[in-house]
């Protein structure tokens, strides 16, 4: 019986057979998941799309941090809810869209994302207490939504543009 | 002076794995039938392929077709079914809610075979976070405290040698969490790694990357199981995932120093 299984046996008074079962099931020894490549073991930095996604999140955090915490006549930081939703948006973006995303925060605390190409353009806006809106144009077709849950954003249409 | 950075600019996570273990192992014949069950559902699962592979035992390996920034063999996300374990691997961390939703969505499809057809019951669940910090250390001034909180109780045994660029720490402990018994494992490894030619990058001639970097890995794994075999794990899967995630956050908060906690997003606005 392995050390881990012994610990389970002694610490919780498991029946010895239960402890052996756990060991047999390989769950106490990781979960038997095969490593298919050594690449991940040696990786020192994330691949391109992963890197870009994390850069956007870091840029968002730094931008918010650089603003005064209190609202003034001239400047207002984004709300905590808007920032959290904007981070979730970045995480949900398909890879192609991540690579072409641009972000800016307005004086009023709106978090804006822009995507554009010769195929069309999209803008996503997070404002207030986590209100989400978007506007997109592909050729003559327009797409828009106001005060929506994030899952209703047309990520696939965005991919077609970028 | 050594420069330390988390694996990404927003956090240090290299990969996340979630494992579900069943009360009995799948036979080779069941794995073959599972592959047939999965084949017409690959798109729904968000995988490009699922292949039966044979090593020490027969297993089904799922992978995505997108290799945009991930392991070239697995893609961004992968899964595995072998013996009694179903594992989900995320080679890119896209937020906790993405992990939870993806695991639950995939489980909702796969349970059609595992639970409904084969009658296998969940016996335990697990979660593993693998974090990495990279120290560019041309002058060999690796500083343990540039990453860690020196007063962390989890590092009590390693302080004496921790400013050498190669050390390791192993801890495992049991705890009771509601009806579950949880085995937590914390492995920390620091070691020098040579820059291979294709990884050095050439963005700036004036600021070339050093020949050697020190990689510090933190692997935190939790495995929860219920002594009561009648416990309905499946009904509480989302709750247990949240609990394990909260425990990972709590542990990382105790391990990292204040600056690093901020850099990896552990200190959020309130």
């Amino acid at each position: 019986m392995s050390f881990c299984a012994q610990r389970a046996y002694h610490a919780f008074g498991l029946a010895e057979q239960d402890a052996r079962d756990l060991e047999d099931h390989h769950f106490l020894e990781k979960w038997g998941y095969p490593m298919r490549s050594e690449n991940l073991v040696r990786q020192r930095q994330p691949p391109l799309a992963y890197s870009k996604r994390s850069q956007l999140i870091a840029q968002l955090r730094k931008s918010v941090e650089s603003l005064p915490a209190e609202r003034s006549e001239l400047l207002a930081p984004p709300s905590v809810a808007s920032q959290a939703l904007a981070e979730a948006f970045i995480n949900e973006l398909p890879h192609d869209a991540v690579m072409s995303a641009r972000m800016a925060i307005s004086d009023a605390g709106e978090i804006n994302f822009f995507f554009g190409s010769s195929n069309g353009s999209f803008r996503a806006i997070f404002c207030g207490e986590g209100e989400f809106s978007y506007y997109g144009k592909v050729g003559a077709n327009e797409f828009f939504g106001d005060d929506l849950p994030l899952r209703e954003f047309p990520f696939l249409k965005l991919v077609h543009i970028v | 002076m050594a420069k330390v950075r988390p694996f990404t600019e927003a956090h240090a996570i290299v990969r996340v794995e979630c494992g579900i273990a069943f009360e009995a192992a799948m036979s080779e014949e069941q794995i073959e039938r599972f592959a047939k069950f999965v084949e017409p559902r690959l798109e729904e699962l968000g995988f490009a392929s699922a292949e039966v592979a044979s090593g020490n035992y027969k297993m089904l390996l799922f992978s995505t077709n997108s290799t945009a920034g991930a392991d070239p063999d697995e893609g961004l996300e992968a899964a595995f079914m072998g013996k009694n374990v179903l594992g989900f691997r995320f080679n890119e961390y896209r937020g906790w809610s993405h992990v939870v939703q993806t695991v639950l969505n995939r489980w909702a499809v796969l349970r059609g075979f595992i639970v409904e057809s084969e009658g296998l019951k969940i016996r335990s669940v697990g979660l593993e976070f693998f974090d990495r910090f990279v120290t560019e250390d041309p002058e060999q001034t690796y500083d343990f405290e540039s990453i860690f909180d020196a007063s962390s109780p989890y590092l009590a045994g390693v302080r004496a040698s921790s400013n050498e660029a190669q050390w390791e720490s192993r801890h495992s402990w049991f705890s009771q969490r509601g009806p579950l018994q949880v085995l937590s494992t914390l492995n920390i490894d620091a070691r020098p790694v040579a820059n291979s030619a294709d990884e050095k990058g050439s963005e700036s001639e004036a600021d070339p990357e050093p020949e050697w970097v020190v990689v510090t890995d933190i692997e935190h794994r939790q495995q929860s199981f219920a002594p009561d075999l009648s416990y309905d794990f499946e009904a509480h899967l989302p709750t247990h995932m949240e609990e394990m995630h909260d425990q990972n956050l709590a542990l990382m908060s105790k391990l990292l120093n204040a600056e690093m906690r901020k850099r990896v997003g552990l200190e959020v606005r309130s």
Side-chain angles (χ1 to χ4, degrees):
Chain A
M1 193 186 298
S2 73
F3 177 69
C4 285
Q6 281 177 32
R7 288 277 298 273
Y9 175 49
H10 291 299
F12 288 102
L14 292 177
E16 186 169 351
Q17 188 55 50
D18 278 351
R20 284 189 197 284
D21 285 349
L22 285 167
E23 183 182 42
D24 288 346
H25 288 173
H26 287 246
F27 203 51
L28 290 177
E29 303 292 342
K30 189 121 188 220
W31 28 81
Y33 201 124
M35 286 295 292
R36 297 182 73 186
S37 164
E38 286 300 305
N39 288 353
L40 288 173
V41 177
R42 294 184 55 81
Q43 241 178 3
R44 291 175 297 99
Q45 53 198 17
L48 204 55
Y50 196 0
S51 182
K52 173 72 178 177
R53 195 185 300 280
S54 68
Q55 280 169 9
L56 273 176
I57 292 172
Q59 184 195 340
L60 172 62
R61 289 178 190 162
K62 278 179 192 160
S63 302
V64 172
E65 228 173 68
S66 68
L67 294 169
E70 299 300 322
R71 175 182 290 268
S72 71
E73 280 183 19
L74 297 174
L75 281 174
S79 66
V80 172
S82 283
Q83 186 184 349
L85 202 59
E87 273 201 30
F89 178 73
I90 294 169
N91 275 322
E92 287 302 318
L93 283 173
H95 283 86
D96 294 340
V98 161
M99 296 306 290
S100 69
R102 286 173 294 141
M103 191 194 72
I105 300 179
S106 76
D107 292 350
E110 280 184 355
I111 305 169
N112 292 269
F113 292 89
F114 305 95
F115 307 86
S117 73
S118 54
N119 295 328
S121 62
F122 250 97
R123 182 181 174 198
I125 306 159
F126 299 85
C127 60
E129 289 302 315
E131 288 144 27
F132 171 52
S133 309
Y134 71 88
Y135 173 80
K137 191 168 184 187
V138 184
N141 298 321
E142 291 181 306
F143 308 94
F144 52 88
D146 197 22
D147 202 7
L148 294 170
L150 201 54
R151 65 177 178 275
E152 291 188 21
F153 181 74
F155 286 105
L156 281 178
K157 285 196 171 67
L158 179 59
V159 170
H160 284 300
I161 286 178
V162 299
Chain B
M1 184 73 180
K3 288 188 289 182
V4 187
R5 57 176 170 81
F7 184 66
T8 82
E9 289 191 27
H11 56 74
I13 300 167
V14 179
R15 67 166 186 269
V16 179
E17 290 182 7
C18 179
I20 301 175
F22 306 98
E23 60 190 342
M26 271 197 195
S27 65
E28 294 197 350
E29 184 268 332
Q30 278 176 309
I31 292 284
E32 294 284 358
R33 284 196 287 117
F34 189 35
K36 288 191 178 120
F37 172 87
V38 160
E39 198 179 343
R41 296 172 174 83
L42 283 174
E43 194 176 337
E44 191 180 357
L45 288 163
F47 285 117
S49 66
E51 296 167 11
V52 176
S54 295
N56 294 332
Y57 49 92
K58 196 166 266 191
M59 63 193 94
L60 188 60
L61 299 173
F62 302 75
S63 62
T64 53
N65 59 357
S66 170
T67 58
D71 185 292
D73 293 333
E74 291 187 336
L76 297 164
E77 294 173 7
F80 155 84
M81 178 73 223
K83 287 201 168 179
N84 69 318
V85 176
L86 173 66
F88 299 97
R89 176 180 287 167
F90 296 82
N91 290 319
E92 179 188 36
Y93 183 65
R94 295 170 67 174
W96 176 244
S97 56
H98 177 84
V99 171
V100 174
Q101 270 315 310
T102 306
V103 167
L104 293 179
N105 290 346
R106 286 176 179 158
W107 169 246
V109 176
L110 298 176
R111 73 178 302 284
F113 181 83
I114 298 170
V115 178
E116 289 172 17
S117 167
E118 305 305 301
L120 295 176
K121 196 165 180 286
I122 297 178
R123 180 75 188 273
S124 47
V125 297
L127 180 70
E128 178 184 291
F129 275 86
F130 186 89
D131 292 70
R132 175 164 289 174
F133 296 88
V134 179
T135 306
E136 293 173 357
D137 194 20
E139 294 162 14
Q140 299 188 333
T141 52
Y142 177 81
D143 179 9
F144 163 81
E145 291 187 37
S146 63
I147 300 170
F148 296 102
D149 177 349
S151 66
S152 171
Y154 298 104
L155 298 164
V158 296
R159 272 179 217 129
S161 59
S162 53
N163 283 335
E164 293 170 14
Q166 187 153 8
W167 56 273
E168 63 177 41
S169 167
R170 301 277 180 271
H171 289 292
S172 58
W173 62 95
F174 270 105
S175 56
Q176 186 83 32
R177 198 179 295 157
L180 302 184
Q181 293 168 352
V182 183
L183 172 67
S184 301
T185 307
L186 174 65
N187 296 328
I188 309 176
D189 288 275
R191 64 190 185 283
V193 173
N195 271 350
S196 62
D198 58 339
E199 283 184 311
K200 278 181 187 172
S202 55
E203 287 180 7
S204 167
E205 289 295 323
D207 187 20
E209 290 194 40
E211 291 297 312
W212 289 84
V213 295
V214 179
V215 168
T216 307
D217 291 336
I218 304 174
E219 184 186 75
H220 177 218
R221 184 166 68 249
Q222 297 168 81
Q223 296 158 325
S224 309
F225 53 93
D228 179 0
L229 297 183
S230 65
Y231 182 71
D232 187 356
F233 247 118
E234 196 181 356
H236 300 95
L237 198 53
T239 307
H240 295 320
M241 288 185 73
E242 292 301 332
E243 286 171 348
M244 290 189 288
H245 179 240
D246 289 346
Q247 285 300 307
N248 175 259
L249 290 177
L251 180 116
M252 292 302 285
S253 295
K254 284 180 187 163
L255 271 179
L256 302 179
N257 67 31
E259 189 203 335
M260 205 50 87
R261 287 200 298 272
K262 193 173 174 189
R263 285 178 71 180
V264 300
L266 284 178
E267 289 184 358
V268 293
R269 294 163 70 206
S270 56

